[in-house]
Structure formats: C-alpha cells, structure tokens
Amino acid sequence: MTIAVLGLNASPRGRESRTLRLVEATLAGARHEGAETDLIDVYSLDIGYCNACTACYATGECVLCDDFPDLFGKMMNADGIVLGAPNYIDSIPAPMKAVFDRMADAVHCRMFSGKYGCSVCTAGGANHGGIVEYMNHALSSFGAITVGGVGVSVGRGLDALSEAEKRANALGRTLVQAVRGEHRYPEQEEYQRERMDYFRQLILWNKNQWTHEYDWYVQNGWIEEDK
Ligand SMILES: Cc1cc2nc3c(=O)[nH]c(=O)nc-3n(C[C@H](O)[C@H](O)[C@H](O)COP(=O)(O)O)c2cc1C
C-alpha cells in the first residue's frame, strides 16, 4: 500500500519561503521511505473565516463556498500531514489559523484518527519551538499522533537552515515509519482515547442537534446506535 504524505506551507513568500525549504526537506525524507507526497501553498488558497454557525456539526458541511472542502479532502486522503509555518508575532500566520478554525467538526469527530503528523517552523529570532508545539497540538486535536518537529532561527544567516533541513529530512522519514507502525506512541494513544471518550459524551449530550457527528461516531463503531 502506498503511503501518502501531504505538506502544507503557510508563508506568503512562495518559492522564497525559508519554511518551504523545511517542508520540502520533510517531504523528501518521506519520499525516501517510499511515500508519495504532495505540497500545498496555503496562501494560494481562498480560505474564509469560520463564522461559528456550527452547521458542520449538524451536516458535516460548511456553509462557506471556498477552497476549504478541497483542502480538507486532501488532508483526509493523506496518511501523514506536515504543517509548515513561519513565526508571525509568536504565532502562526492568519491563513493557517483560518484553516484550523474551519476544523471544529474534525476535532469533535477525531477525523485524523489513524493519521500521523509533524510540524516545522522558521523564525527570524526565536520561539520556533513554541510554534512547532502549537501546530502539533492542533494535529493532535484533530486526532492525529505527532512524531516530532523541527524549528530554526534564521536571523543569523542561512547556515542554521541547512542544518535544520537535515533534521527535517529525518523527520519525514520518521513520519512514514510511524505510518508503517515502526514506532509506537503509547502516551499519545492514551491521550487520544481520553479525548475520544470526552467527545463521545459531548456528542451524546447534543445528538439531536449534532446529527452528522452522532452518525459519524455510529458509522465508525464509536457509539452504539440507539435501537
Ligand atoms: C509579519 C511578520 C511577523 C514576524 N514575527 C516574528 C516574530 O514574532 N518572531 C520572530 O522570531 N520572527 C518573526 N518574523 C520573521 C519570520 O518568522 C522569518 O523571517 C521566517 O523565516 C519567514 O519565513 P518564510 O521565509 O517561510 O516566510 C516575522 C515576519 C513577518 C513578515
């Protein structure tokens, strides 16, 4: 079975993006392990802001008409997901956050269950580690197991970026090995079980409104349907 790995980069600088170099190094590592890879430039997409209507909880579909459903479909078809973002004011750039905010239904439904992910970040000065941690936390919130991350400060020159590319390549290899079951993450697996228990209960409390989410849990065998 071919393993599919999808990379997302969220820099407005296109081919000039230093973060792109880390995403591409990660994807190269994944290909070295036999995966097929694809790369998406988040800034090239039209992604609107979540308006908190919660229609997705009931229907599984968003009321906004833009590029999000196509992007989400590609993420759902991937076994491994690589998130890349530069540090913007000690956080991620707004378009990546807009993507995350469109995924509350994916959080409830643990839609990345069975997927693996990792994150990479470049910063001019500092806090790349905090950004990597945040993006990995988001992947975990969607149900994925995270295998690590690479962050680097490029303020003093690009030598550090070359060294970080090597770490990113190794990260991509680890990602594919994890998909193949060659690494175990027992603490994260336990955390994911706890989150599913929490959201199962939340969905049962709201099952009359959140019908799509209830159906999703039933279809996946995570809730026994009321007879
Ligand atoms: C709007 C903006 C905000 C930034 N904020 C920070 C910051 O808070 N801390 C930091 O270390 N670098 C900051 N930077 C620098 C970028 O993180 C850095 O140049 C990064 O490598 C750019 O990545 P890219 O080449 O992939 O776009 C900022 C850059 C921009 C344009």
Side-chain angles (χ1 to χ4, degrees), residues 119 131-144 146 191:
S119 301
I131 314 294
V132 163
E133 196 179 327
Y134 171 67
M135 290 193 288
N136 275 345
H137 176 73
L139 286 166
S140 175
S141 296
F142 308 136
T146 59
Y191 174 76

Side-chain angles (χ1 to χ4, degrees), residues 122-177:
T122 66
N127 203 22
H128 41 80
I131 314 294
V132 163
E133 196 179 327
Y134 171 67
M135 290 193 288
N136 275 345
H137 176 73
L139 286 166
S140 175
S141 296
F142 308 136
I145 301 282
T146 59
V147 306
V150 170
V152 64
S153 168
V154 292
R156 287 190 173 185
L158 293 183
D159 287 354
L161 188 57
S162 304
E163 177 274 329
E165 282 177 301
K166 292 185 187 129
R167 287 189 281 134
N169 189 284
L171 180 66
R173 295 183 67 155
T174 302
L175 180 65
V176 175
Q177 290 159 3

Side-chain angles (χ1 to χ4, degrees), residues 42-223:
V42 175
Y43 271 79
S44 73
L45 304 179
D46 172 25
I47 306 282
Y49 299 142
C50 172
N51 65 12
C53 70
T54 71
C56 56
Y57 301 171
T59 68
E61 288 182 11
C62 185
V63 297
L64 303 180
C65 296
D66 59 13
D67 292 330
F68 178 77
D70 186 49
L71 172 64
F72 187 68
K74 286 180 175 160
M75 289 196 276
M76 287 301 283
N77 286 333
D79 305 294
I81 295 178
V82 182
L83 298 181
N87 177 348
Y88 271 16
I89 320 297
D90 288 323
S91 187
I92 54 172
M96 184 69 103
K97 185 63 164 64
V99 170
F100 291 172
D101 290 355
R102 296 285 290 279
M103 294 177 64
D105 179 51
V107 172
H108 287 186
C109 289
R110 321 305 301 152
M111 283 189 182
F112 283 8
S113 289
K115 298 188 193 301
Y116 291 80
C118 60
S119 301
V120 297
C121 174
T122 66
N127 203 22
H128 41 80
I131 314 294
V132 163
E133 196 179 327
Y134 171 67
M135 290 193 288
N136 275 345
H137 176 73
L139 286 166
S140 175
S141 296
F142 308 136
I145 301 282
T146 59
V147 306
V150 170
V152 64
S153 168
V154 292
R156 287 190 173 185
L158 293 183
D159 287 354
L161 188 57
S162 304
E163 177 274 329
E165 282 177 301
K166 292 185 187 129
R167 287 189 281 134
N169 189 284
L171 180 66
R173 295 183 67 155
T174 302
L175 180 65
V176 175
Q177 290 159 3
V179 172
R180 282 202 300 258
E182 293 169 18
H183 303 288
R184 297 307 303 266
Y185 302 86
E187 279 179 25
Q188 289 192 58
E189 284 160 13
E190 177 59 25
Y191 174 76
Q192 290 297 347
R193 278 192 288 276
E194 286 168 12
R195 296 314 286 158
M196 188 173 292
D197 287 346
Y198 172 83
F199 283 107
R200 180 189 293 110
Q201 187 57 63
L202 191 67
I203 287 163
L204 282 169
W205 284 331
N206 291 279
K207 70 176 189 176
N208 294 331
Q209 302 95 278
W210 299 354
T211 46
H212 145 75
E213 296 191 344
Y214 178 75
D215 291 346
W216 177 272
Y217 270 65
V218 170
Q219 280 159 20
N220 280 282
W222 299 338
I223 284 178

